[in-house]
Amino acid sequence: MTYQSVQVKLKLKRSQHAVDLAMDGKWQEAVAENTAILETFPQDIEAYNRLGRAYMELGEYDQARQAYQRAL
């Protein structure tokens, strides 16, 4: 197994965990998970989109706007 394939599997697993947290309404935890994903994968558009949604749900609109702008 190559380093790249391990990274892809890690990204998929963490992304699913972030989605699961959001589906459970655990928005603060979703922010933390998506932020952690972005530390490893700083160009992950989907993580920025999920992060924006989590911030919206928390009423943190400035942070949501920033996340959505990064997604664009």
Side-chain angles (χ1 to χ4, degrees), residues 41-67:
F41 305 99
Q43 302 300 320
D44 189 336
I45 294 169
E46 293 174 358
Y48 279 114
N49 189 49
R50 290 189 304 267
L51 184 60
R53 172 64 188 270
Y55 278 133
M56 288 287 291
E57 293 293 332
L58 291 170
E60 298 178 21
Y61 303 115
D62 288 336
Q63 292 92 334
R65 186 179 314 109
Q66 290 173 18

Side-chain angles (χ1 to χ4, degrees), residues 16-32:
Q16 185 58 54
H17 185 237
V19 169
D20 292 343
L21 289 167
M23 296 296 289
D24 290 340
K26 297 178 179 177
W27 298 110
Q28 197 63 50
E29 293 92 337
V31 165

